[in-house]
Amino acid sequence: MSAVSKPYEIVERALELSRADGCVVIADEQSSANLRWAGNALTTNGVTRGRTLTVIATVDGAQGTASGVVSRSAVTADDLEPLVRAAEAAARSAGPAEDAQPLVEGVAASPDFTDAPAETSSSVFADFAPALGEAFARARAGGRELYGFAHHELTSTYLGTSAGLRLRHDQPSGTLELNAKSPDRTRSAWAGRSTRDFKDVDPTALDAELAERLGWAERRIELPAGRYETLLPPTAVADLAIYQLWSSAGRDAAEGRTVFSKPGGGTRVGETLSPLPLTLRSDPDEPGLESAPFVIAHSSGDDSSVFDNGLPLSATDWVREGRLERLVTTRHSAALTRLPVAPAAGNLILDGGGERSLEEMVASTERGLLLTCLWYIREVDPATLLLTGLTRDGVYLVEGGEVVGEVNNFRFNESPVDLLSRATEAGRTEKTLPREWSDWFTRAAMPPLRVPDFNMSSVSQGV
């Protein structure tokens, strides 16, 4: 074994090798465990481990500071010097970095910086797997088939800089996706959950939920395209809200390119977006949704900067009681736009609605649609943040407070920002898994929303 093998040693050695004016090193130690199943039986399971090292070199010049970024996986001690030199060469061949800032200083070191990385294993499923087996048995007895997967990932990030930062964060992320199908495959229902440790997910409860939805689907009703009163479940709200956050870079808004741009110049910060007292926020310390308390930036972009690595993160309200409060900024873009520094964090919460559950909102619906989830979401117009996408795995007709059958799928055309202005009710906020963005963003808590005129622009044959 190499004398330099522990993550913190890799970081320290890379910093020692650096000949650049500044250097940032990020070591990501990742382990994952997964289960997959089909037709009420486990099919595969496995555990993986890996390491990715990112070196960011900064070089000062007469015209400004340039940066070079190189990332490689499966890095060993012998790979370090070539990696550091490659980052330095990239910096020297680049022009001055527009987002150049002094490297962050003065952040207290993480007390566990030199500890071994946290690791997940198949033991994370110790309680979940037997419960899944019980769900299989219930599904077989009920004449339905379960498909899906459970995935747990644990990433330990070690961040060191030539400015003296030594920071570390352990991030657990778990997802459960469960599909129930009728034996003839004509009916399908989906449920998903986000979790840190699989101790708060119950596959038997999800199976019961899916069984009810398959029962609703026994009656099929064809509806035309149009605007319908629609109940969006938390997972669908999360997919829309996350895209809104991703589209809220302060600089883009100030330059007139987004839905958050003010006609005639400036941004819409301070404007009311919703008549409901909704607050869209991020908080690294949110219970059950904890995320990194400092910036981890492997590259620079409209809403991130490698120069901000290690910058402390705090609770941020993006929308406060219906009013646009913050846009995403780096130190550089904040100075350009004269907006507060507000880097994005690793979670998103929408609250401020009522205490009613989705089921209670259904019970008070005279006639409308109940969605399961959205998918294949794509941007149509950044100026309005108009998105298009499809419904999937169950759209249900509600009449007189009861679900009376399943209807066909639709393509929708809607803007998350416009939806906020038209929503007439928000229910109880709960942890949820955004289905479309679950590969990139899993830590969300959202309420169900009632929209009186959701735009189902065309009928879709998707399932």
Side-chain angles (χ1 to χ4, degrees):
M1 180 179 292
S2 168
V4 179
S5 59
K6 297 177 181 178
Y8 86 92
E9 293 174 333
I10 293 282
V11 171
E12 297 288 7
R13 180 59 180 152
L15 290 171
E16 289 174 3
L17 288 166
S18 174
R19 299 171 187 163
D21 295 299
C23 187
V24 178
V25 182
I26 306 171
D28 294 303
E29 298 281 327
Q30 185 181 81
S31 59
S32 67
N34 66 80
L35 299 175
R36 292 184 178 273
W37 54 90
N40 300 327
L42 285 173
T43 55
T44 61
N45 65 84
V47 175
T48 64
R49 289 179 177 81
R51 168 185 291 165
T52 302
L53 193 69
T54 300
V55 175
I56 302 156
T58 67
V59 177
D60 299 333
Q63 304 301 315
T65 299
S67 64
V69 182
V70 177
S71 293
R72 290 179 184 162
S73 58
V75 174
T76 66
D78 293 338
D79 302 319
L80 281 181
E81 186 160 7
L83 177 56
V84 172
R85 299 291 167 256
E88 293 168 349
R92 292 191 180 97
S93 64
E98 186 184 24
D99 61 327
Q101 296 282 312
L103 296 183
V104 176
E105 296 180 330
V107 181
S110 300
D112 57 353
F113 183 74
T114 60
D115 290 355
E119 291 187 351
T120 189
S121 69
S122 57
S123 64
V124 74
F125 302 124
D127 296 326
F128 172 81
L132 181 63
E134 183 180 343
F136 291 160
R138 293 186 182 188
R140 279 192 294 270
R144 57 189 175 275
E145 297 178 351
L146 296 182
Y147 297 77
F149 62 91
H151 179 82
H152 190 255
E153 186 173 283
L154 191 46
T155 301
S156 291
T157 297
Y158 297 76
L159 171 65
T161 76
S162 57
L165 267 58
R166 298 294 186 273
L167 301 174
R168 181 245 181 93
H169 176 68
D170 296 331
Q171 185 65 67
S173 302
T175 60
L176 165 63
E177 296 203 41
L178 190 65
N179 272 87
K181 298 183 183 295
S182 60
D184 61 1
R185 307 291 195 279
T186 60
R187 292 173 286 140
S188 176
W190 174 90
R193 293 292 185 271
S194 173
T195 178
R196 287 174 64 88
D197 54 17
F198 278 87
K199 293 179 179 177
D200 58 350
V201 291
D202 182 355
T204 58
L206 288 182
D207 173 61
E209 176 185 322
L210 297 178
E212 179 180 45
R213 290 176 175 260
L214 287 182
W216 293 342
E218 289 178 355
R219 182 188 177 198
R220 178 81 174 183
I221 303 163
E222 298 295 324
L223 289 181
R227 289 187 176 270
Y228 293 90
E229 178 168 314
T230 301
L231 296 175
L232 299 173
T235 176
V237 176
D239 276 322
L240 296 171
I242 289 166
Y243 202 96
Q244 177 177 312
L245 179 67
W246 286 344
S247 304
S248 62
R251 181 175 182 177
D252 290 346
E255 293 178 351
R257 299 201 299 266
T258 77
V259 68
F260 298 112
S261 303
K262 180 183 290 186
T267 73
R268 295 175 62 189
V269 170
E271 289 188 16
T272 296
L273 300 183
S274 176
L276 300 176
L278 297 174
T279 294
L280 184 67
R281 59 189 179 85
S282 298
D283 184 353
D285 297 321
E286 182 72 13
L289 299 173
E290 294 89 347
S291 60
F294 54 87
V295 170
I296 302 171
H298 296 82
S299 62
S300 289
D302 290 340
D303 56 2
S304 66
S305 171
V306 294
F307 292 91
D308 287 350
N309 269 299
L311 191 69
L313 295 173
S314 58
T316 302
D317 290 347
W318 307 108
V319 177
R320 181 183 297 165
E321 296 186 351
R323 176 179 177 270
L324 182 61
E325 190 74 14
R326 290 280 188 275
L327 294 172
V328 179
T329 56
T330 63
R331 288 182 294 165
H332 169 69
S333 65
L336 282 179
T337 58
R338 298 182 181 179
L339 293 169
V341 177
N347 60 29
L348 192 62
I349 303 101
L350 182 65
D351 52 25
E355 287 301 315
R356 296 212 297 172
S357 66
L358 180 59
E359 291 73 21
E360 290 170 321
M361 291 171 66
V362 167
S364 64
T365 300
E366 186 57 34
R367 189 174 193 274
L369 299 180
L370 169 64
L371 303 189
T372 295
C373 57
L374 307 175
W375 75 304
Y376 207 67
I377 299 171
R378 298 294 183 268
E379 186 176 287
V380 177
D381 179 16
T384 59
L385 199 58
L386 180 65
L387 305 179
T388 191
L390 302 172
T391 64
R392 188 177 188 183
D393 285 313
V395 180
Y396 307 99
L397 179 62
V398 180
E399 291 183 333
E402 295 184 356
V403 177
V404 297
E406 183 183 56
V407 306
N408 42 275
N409 279 292
F410 295 96
R411 173 171 292 280
F412 70 88
N413 284 290
E414 282 287 3
S415 162
V417 178
D418 198 37
L419 284 177
L420 284 178
S421 71
R422 289 156 38 219
T424 55
E425 182 185 5
R428 183 172 63 235
T429 294
E430 61 183 51
K431 283 177 58 179
T432 190
L433 177 69
R435 188 175 191 184
E436 176 78 338
W437 312 125
S438 60
D439 285 346
W440 299 277
F441 203 114
T442 62
R443 290 173 290 280
M446 299 283 151
L449 286 182
R450 184 189 302 275
V451 180
D453 54 354
F454 194 86
N455 184 19
M456 299 298 188
S457 55
S458 63
V459 172
S460 168
Q461 299 307 310
V463 296

